[in-house]
Structures are given as structure tokens and as C-alpha cells.
Amino acid sequence: MIQDFHFQLPNVSKVVLMASMLFTLSCQEAIVAPEAETPVPSQRQLIWQEMEFYGFVHFSINTFTDMEWGLGDESPDRFNPTELDTRQWVREMADAGMRGVIITAKHHDGFCLWPSRYTEHSVKNSPWKNGEGDVIRELADACEEYGLKLGVYYSPWDRHHADYGKPEYITYMRLQLEELLTNYGDIFEVWFDGANGGTGYYGGANEERRVDKKSYYDWENTFALVRKLQPDAVIFGDAGPDVRWVGNEEGHAYPTTWSNLLRDSVYAGMPEYGDKYAKGQENGTHWVPAEADVSIRPGWYYHAYEDHKVKSLSQLMDIYYKSIGRNSSLLLNFPVDKRGLIHENDVMALRKMASKIKEDFAVDLIAGKSATASTDRGAGYQAGNVLDGQGGNYWAAPADSRQGSIEVDFDGELTFNRLWIQEYIPLGQRVKKFTVEVKQDGQWTEIAAETTIGFKRLLRLEDTKGTSLRLNILDAKSSPLISSLRMFHAPKMMEAPVISRDVQGMVSINSPEEGLVIFYTSDGTTPGQNSQRYMAPFQPEYPALIKAITFDEVQGRSSDAGSQYFDMPKGDWKVLEAGTEGNKAIDENINTHYSSQDDRLTLDLGQALQLMGFTYTPMQQRYLSGVIKEYRFYTSRDSINWELVAEGEFGNIENSPILQRITLDRKVNARYIRLESKRTTDGKNASFAEVGVITE
């Protein structure tokens, strides 16, 4: 499990102790306790804030129709997972240190994962368990078994219901919320999506319906119902009221992130929300902290064609530091597959992430050290509180101060690269600007300059040596209160390097972590410390199978090997019949693509080659279009006379849109090639991310 660091809320014994201390100091100047800097969090928000990291599950009828947004006309017969196991979901999340899970109980298509009394569009009319199943029940039981909290996502928009857009639908929505919030135990978060209104099935009307986003749902009374049924649950929405959307689906908060929000100016689905309100506001009127939501894959629902697109360890760790490390929680989504399981690739990625988080924060280097402050309020509010591991204690500057510094002596030299800072948020968010300095050879050197802190700020730094650390609060809304200061030395991330080349054939190898060396081979053998050390882009003898590892010379650790096969360079190739846009099919960048109006791509290879085959990489964008399913491959020596040398099908390319290698049954001498689509997976014009040749 990931180490558990959290606030301890004040209890009676602490209050008695404080009173005793104040009495014994009665002969001295009175110590004035800090006053709240409004807005401040509620008790339910404080409890939610400590959860920090929890899972999202997108699983519904869309899983079986291969869509992100269902239309509402899907038959419940489509829902039929073969190995549904909510215990697998929850077990993996619990082992990764997550503290809860939120499930899409009802998405925009209106299909319900529980046997709702108020609609036939639910699991009760599916073949799964002969209509006797209840996904929410099974998940609630799994959460209880593994100690995770349960949350529910409920889409206010319903593209299936005949009454959507009418007052009758609001009654239906509240009846369903009552089912969800009374039948499955304690709920920690109720998640309302901001998307609402548009085209839909709507009971067979098949039309577009728009609603007044500000008034239609009568949010005041809907929220009141949630409060009545689940008083400890936080409510999520663009405007909260308890937790707000971070404003993007990339999983990151901002270098300046306030928990304060001008809540009365925000409504669900407002177009300008991301630009104006997502970061919070220093002068915000309500406490509405940010939640960063992101999927472990490009899509929210499962698509087999994204099995190779699960986020890498470096991507996931970047998300972690830019969400939890920037005063936000992290809601990481898992698109459960058609079996009803979190896919093996997703599980592997999560386990690597959890292991790295644990590794990064394994040892607090300054726990138990001594700390002094430039100024404080006196007994009970001194600098040592930030190192005691008790979040209920904190350092407080004098009431009239907006600045102050805390200095930690290391008792010798230490090397570190991570800093963990927390404010005492029960009394509000205050810090507006701070710097960090380290003492080296008796001199102070600034190593970071930032703005907000909030519940938690995590700084990733270069490896830094020093004998003391100083946190300088340069500006704050009121007297700064710091509850925790921790310091760590995170080992280098050992991840296989990324191997790429340009059109001229120059190969580059890049490590996701700085400070590591790279060793490589170009003959397909496994690289080690005695292999060639990568220093700069190089051109191997083609064809070439490049393999590379990253190596930490300090720790003596190496990564798994990454590999990439390259055939003939494309620098002298020319695209015929397609104009300059066609160059995107040979630019060595799979993230660009060419869409052909005549469903073919013709290339001049610049010289005659002995061809053994060809390669085709379909477009790699989130929403695929024009992926070639059936092909014809032609060659020519003079671009006039063409020979059909291969035709067939790219097997399972719908589910696995990765590089396709087709070998010929004989060698063909040719200077010109043409790849032609007989049929695409969606009937649209053929698209090409990359086309290459095989020469041996």
C-alpha cells in the first residue's frame, strides 16, 4: 500500500492540552489562535480531500457497442459480460493505494447498471445473469470487502428517456437517485456530468432536445435530496457544490490552483468554464476544490483498438505530480472490457505506477530533524510542528504577518529531489507565493519559486545536495499556516527509452528521465553496460533492429529493453498523385496521417529495391477513420506498368490498429509501390499514418 500521510483533525484531548498550555503561559503575552480565512472546507470536504487518489470505472452498454457516447436506442440485449468480477477491479485499486471507486451507474445513453424500478432500459432486461444481476450491488460488496469507498456517476442527460426535457424527467431522475443513494450503503461522492442536451433516441422521437442548463434540473432541490440521503457525500459538478471539475480531461491541475471558487458564477456545461474558473480564484467565495479526471487510455470506455495505447509509466507519474501535486485529487479511469475485467495492460500500468509512487515517497529525509522559523505565534504554533507527521499541528506566523520562513537543518549533507508541502486547510487556503532555498557550502541557493500550496504541493526537483532547507512564504492572503514539510530522494524512473528516426534515417533514443545513460545495439542483440553508449543521433546500416536500455550509474539499475525495427530510410522517397499532404504518410510520425480521396497511396522510392514486403500503420488518433481492412499492393519499375503482387486482409486491425507487416511470396524488384484500399473498416476514405517497405 502507498504510505498514508494525512491530516489528523483536532480532538478533545488536543483542545484540553492547548488550554493547559495557554494557562501556564498566562503570565506571558497571550497567544492568539489563527482565525479562519474564508472560505473553508466542510467536514465532508476535509474527509474527501484526504482520499486524494481513487478510481473511475466506465462500463455500460457502450462497452459492447464500442462507443463513447451511446445514442439511447441500444437494446439491453447487448449488455452481456462473460467474466464480470468487481472484486478484481477493487482489489487492483486497493493494492495501488486508491481509496475509492466511482462507477458510471447511468451514462448519457440512459442504460442503468442496476435493476431500476423506473425504467426497462437496464441490466434487468439483459442476458447477463438472466436479468437478475446488479453491477452496483456487486461493486458495493467488493468495496466493503477491500475497504474502499463507493461513489456513483449519474448523467443528468438521458438520450433514451421519452420525457427528457420535460418536468416529468426531473421526477424520474430523483427517483433513480433515491434508489442509488439508499440501497448501496454509504456513498462518498455523487458525480454529475456537465454534458447535457442534444440529439437522442428519446423514446423513439429521434430528435434534438436542448434544455436550460442553469434551471432545468432544479439543482437546489436535487442537491438537497442528495444531502438528505447521503449527508456525508460530496457532490461533484462544474460548479460543485463540493468538488469541481479541473477543466480538462488530461489529468492535470495548474501551477496556480485555488480551492476557492466564484461558485455562483458557474453552471454545469458553461463554455468558458475551462478558461475562467477551472483554476479556482484567490477571491473565490466558496470552498470547491479541484478533481482531475483522466483515463488510463485515450478513451473513457473500452475499445480493443486502444490496447496498445495504455499510458506509460512516465505519463502516469507526470499526471500524478500535476494533479495530487498541485492541490487536486486524482480520479483515474479504467475502461472495463467486454469480459467485465480491467484489462491486463491497464493492470500492469497501474501496478507500475503504484510501485513508483511508493518508491518516490519511501523515506522522509527530514523526519525528526530540527526546524526553526523566522517568526511564529508562540507555543503550539512553532516550526517543529511541520516535521512531526501530525497534520493537525502546524506552524503559524503572527496574525499581522503575510510572510515567514521555516528552516530545517539536516545535521549533515543530504541529497534530495522531491519536496512535499501542505497548508493547514481547515482554516482556509492562504499562500500566494513561495520559494525554496538550499544551503550549499554555507550559501543559500534558490531551487524553486512557486505560487499556491493548498492541501498538498509536490515539487519535482533536480538531484540537489545541501545541509539545510528553507521554505520562504513571500505572500499570503492572511498569516500563513504550514502543517507539513517533507523531503525525499526519489530513484530514477527505470523505463525503456523511446527509439525514433527522422526521414533521413537518423535514429534518436530518448530516456523519459534525465540523468540516465543509454546503451544500445543495432544488430538485434540485447544491450548491456558494455554496449554502445548513446551520445547523439546516428545512422545505422539499414535494415536495422535497434534495442536500447536506460541505466542508472549511481544505483546500478537498468530498464527493460526497448526495440524498434527500421527498414530503408525515406529521405529520397516521393509521394505521387497526392500533393504535399501525402507526405504525412512517410514523415516517420505516426501521429500525422494522410486521407486519400482515391483510396490509394503511390510512392517513388528513389531507387530500385529488392522488396520482400511492405508495412502499413493506420492513423493513431483517438477516433479512427479510414483504417484499411482489405488491401491491394502493386509494384512498378517505371510507374507506368503496374503488377499486383499481394492482396488480402489486415486481420483484426479494427481491434488492434498497429503497424501491419505483410511479406511477399517472392522478391520483387521495383522502384515504385502503390498501396490501395479495397475496403476500410468504416467505409470512409482510406487513411495512412505511415507506409514502409521490407527489404529482407
Side-chain angles (χ1 to χ4, degrees):
M1 295 290 290
I2 294 171
Q3 195 169 356
D4 184 15
F5 299 114
H6 60 279
F7 284 127
Q8 290 186 358
L9 302 178
N11 55 37
V12 174
S13 61
K14 289 182 180 178
V15 174
V16 172
L17 177 61
M18 184 62 72
S20 175
M21 293 171 61
L22 293 176
F23 177 77
T24 59
L25 295 171
S26 59
C27 62
Q28 303 176 17
E29 182 179 352
I31 298 173
V32 180
E35 295 183 353
E37 174 63 34
T38 57
V40 297
S42 65
Q43 184 70 13
R44 70 172 69 90
Q45 288 172 315
L46 285 172
I47 294 171
W48 166 86
Q49 191 83 65
E50 292 194 28
M51 293 184 67
E52 284 195 332
F53 187 28
Y54 39 98
F56 212 179
V57 168
H58 273 65
F59 180 60
S60 189
I61 199 82
N62 296 345
T63 307
F64 300 89
T65 59
D66 214 21
M67 298 181 70
E68 286 288 293
W69 283 13
L71 301 175
D73 60 353
E74 299 82 7
S75 169
D77 288 341
R78 302 292 297 272
F79 185 85
N80 193 19
T82 55
E83 303 174 47
L84 180 66
D85 185 0
T86 57
R87 295 179 72 254
Q88 184 244 10
W89 312 352
V90 175
R91 181 175 63 252
E92 293 296 341
M93 293 180 194
D95 288 348
M98 292 180 165
R99 296 182 171 104
V101 55
I102 300 173
I103 186 168
T104 52
K106 189 198 80 166
H107 205 253
H108 311 325
D109 52 80
F111 184 79
C112 300
L113 292 182
W114 77 101
S116 175
R117 295 171 53 195
Y118 305 104
T119 183
E120 298 303 308
H121 199 50
S122 82
V123 291
K124 69 183 181 184
N125 287 317
S126 75
W128 177 60
K129 293 193 172 182
N130 297 316
E132 299 298 320
D134 184 341
V135 179
I136 309 302
R137 176 76 273 153
E138 293 191 14
L139 181 57
D141 292 344
C143 285
E144 183 175 1
E145 178 180 353
Y146 287 95
L148 263 64
K149 296 183 178 182
L150 175 65
V152 292
Y153 165 113
Y154 184 91
S155 171
W157 183 21
D158 193 317
R159 304 176 87 173
H160 174 81
H161 203 280
D163 287 335
Y164 181 79
K166 304 174 184 177
E168 291 83 357
Y169 174 74
I170 303 305
T171 300
Y172 168 78
M173 182 177 79
R174 289 175 180 163
L175 288 171
Q176 287 203 319
L177 285 172
E178 187 170 355
E179 287 181 319
L180 287 170
L181 302 182
T182 57
N183 295 333
Y184 300 101
D186 291 338
I187 302 296
F188 85 92
E189 183 168 341
V190 180
W191 214 97
F192 291 113
D193 202 302
N196 50 81
T199 58
Y201 172 71
Y202 302 128
N206 292 310
E207 61 188 17
E208 181 175 4
R209 296 182 182 178
R210 297 292 177 181
V211 298
D212 186 332
K213 298 177 182 180
K214 297 180 182 179
S215 62
Y216 174 63
Y217 300 104
D218 184 18
W219 285 120
E220 181 179 355
N221 288 307
T222 299
F223 292 160
L225 176 66
V226 176
R227 292 279 190 251
K228 175 184 176 183
L229 299 176
Q230 290 285 341
D232 295 328
V234 294
I235 301 172
F236 170 93
D238 289 356
D242 299 314
V243 179
R244 76 175 189 269
W245 182 41
V246 79
N248 63 76
E249 294 185 349
E250 299 166 4
H252 67 80
Y254 309 93
T256 299
T257 301
W258 289 95
S259 293
N260 308 335
L261 181 70
L262 293 169
R263 196 177 75 184
D264 294 340
S265 300
V266 180
Y267 63 89
M270 66 186 306
E272 64 271 30
Y273 174 81
D275 293 331
K276 290 186 176 181
Y277 299 100
K279 299 175 185 178
Q281 293 82 41
E282 177 187 332
N283 62 337
T285 53
H286 294 78
W287 185 273
V288 190
E291 177 184 86
D293 58 328
V294 64
S295 186
I296 202 166
R297 296 167 172 239
W300 291 95
Y301 280 96
Y302 178 78
H303 309 290
Y305 58 77
E306 292 181 347
D307 284 350
H308 68 298
K309 290 189 174 183
V310 178
K311 287 181 172 59
S312 67
L313 176 60
S314 56
Q315 289 174 312
L316 290 171
M317 290 306 297
D318 194 54
I319 287 168
Y320 182 87
Y321 279 103
K322 289 180 178 178
S323 57
I324 291 174
R326 288 180 174 176
N327 191 34
S328 170
S329 66
L330 174 55
L331 178 60
L332 181 61
N333 179 66
F334 300 94
V336 167
D337 65 23
K338 293 181 180 181
R339 296 172 299 173
L341 302 174
I342 298 178
H343 192 274
E344 294 83 349
N345 294 0
D346 305 46
V347 168
M348 184 182 302
L350 176 62
R351 289 177 179 177
K352 288 181 179 179
M353 180 187 186
S355 177
K356 183 57 180 166
I357 295 170
K358 186 176 182 180
E359 182 181 63
D360 281 9
F361 302 106
V363 179
D364 181 1
L365 299 174
I366 55 177
K369 302 294 184 183
S370 61
T372 57
S374 58
T375 183
D376 59 50
R377 291 189 183 229
Y381 300 106
Q382 295 171 322
N385 289 345
V386 305
L387 305 180
D388 68 2
Q390 304 296 315
N393 297 328
Y394 54 93
W395 163 78
D400 58 353
S401 176
R402 300 294 181 269
Q403 298 177 328
S405 63
I406 299 172
E407 184 176 329
V408 181
D409 181 22
F410 299 163
D411 296 327
E413 187 176 69
L414 292 175
T415 300
F416 64 96
N417 55 20
R418 299 289 187 272
L419 201 62
W420 167 318
I421 314 169
Q422 292 182 273
E423 288 187 75
Y424 185 71
I425 63 167
L427 294 180
Q429 185 177 354
R430 301 163 181 249
V431 176
K432 298 164 60 176
K433 186 178 181 181
F434 71 95
T435 62
V436 178
E437 296 175 294
V438 64
K439 183 178 281 189
Q440 299 170 321
D441 299 324
Q443 301 294 319
W444 287 103
T445 301
E446 184 178 296
I447 57 174
E450 303 291 346
T451 54
T452 52
I453 297 175
F455 177 72
K456 183 178 289 185
R457 189 67 187 263
L458 300 174
L459 301 183
R460 288 181 288 182
L461 308 166
E462 298 295 326
D463 280 3
T464 304
K465 291 183 179 180
T467 55
S468 298
L469 182 82
R470 188 158 65 194
L471 172 66
N472 303 305
I473 308 301
L474 303 182
D475 193 13
K477 293 181 65 177
S478 57
S479 58
L481 312 177
I482 302 298
S483 65
S484 183
L485 182 61
R486 302 169 188 267
M487 192 176 82
F488 304 87
H489 187 218
K492 298 293 184 182
M493 187 185 311
M494 305 311 300
E495 188 173 26
V498 177
I499 306 169
S500 61
R501 74 170 178 178
D502 64 19
V503 294
Q504 300 302 324
M506 297 297 290
V507 173
S508 297
I509 310 176
N510 294 294
S511 169
E513 180 90 82
E514 294 183 0
L516 298 173
V517 297
I518 296 172
F519 295 105
Y520 73 93
T521 61
S522 56
D523 59 2
T525 58
T526 301
Q529 298 176 52
N530 295 323
S531 301
Q532 183 74 30
R533 183 166 179 160
Y534 177 77
M535 302 298 292
F538 63 96
Q539 188 164 53
E541 183 178 343
Y542 287 105
L545 176 58
I546 312 296
K547 291 188 176 182
I549 59 170
T550 52
F551 184 75
D552 186 341
E553 293 180 303
V554 177
Q555 299 277 334
R557 302 188 308 164
S558 62
S559 72
D560 295 333
S563 66
Q564 189 71 50
Y565 175 81
F566 297 112
D567 212 290
M568 302 307 294
K570 304 175 183 179
D572 295 329
W573 293 15
K574 294 180 181 179
V575 178
L576 307 179
E577 307 172 353
T580 57
E581 278 295 301
N583 290 328
K584 292 179 179 178
I586 56 171
D587 64 359
E588 296 287 9
N589 181 358
I590 63 171
N591 294 313
T592 63
H593 69 274
Y594 164 63
S595 293
S596 171
Q597 296 299 313
D598 55 8
D599 292 326
R600 68 185 188 183
L601 182 74
T602 304
L603 300 174
D604 176 358
L605 305 180
Q607 62 178 314
L609 298 173
Q610 293 293 319
L611 301 182
M612 290 296 299
F614 71 95
T615 62
Y616 165 68
T617 303
M619 66 179 294
Q620 297 295 300
Q621 275 62 33
R622 179 175 176 182
Y623 299 108
L624 304 182
S625 175
V627 174
I628 299 175
K629 176 67 174 176
E630 297 178 10
Y631 66 86
R632 294 189 183 97
F633 183 66
Y634 299 85
T635 63
S636 174
R637 296 182 181 184
D638 57 11
S639 76
I640 298 173
N641 301 295
W642 292 89
E643 179 186 4
L644 176 64
V645 295
E647 65 177 320
E649 178 180 303
F650 296 125
N652 198 37
I653 197 169
E654 304 98 320
N655 297 325
S656 186
I658 60 177
L659 180 143
Q660 309 290 309
R661 291 177 56 88
I662 301 298
T663 56
L664 307 178
D665 57 7
R666 59 186 172 88
K667 286 186 178 181
V668 177
N669 182 271
R671 172 171 173 167
Y672 302 90
I673 63 172
R674 175 179 293 158
L675 178 59
E676 181 177 278
S677 171
K678 292 173 59 179
R679 180 168 67 91
T680 61
T681 56
D682 58 0
K684 297 183 178 180
N685 290 335
S687 61
F688 307 79
E690 285 294 314
V691 172
V693 296
I694 302 172
T695 59
E696 71 171 38

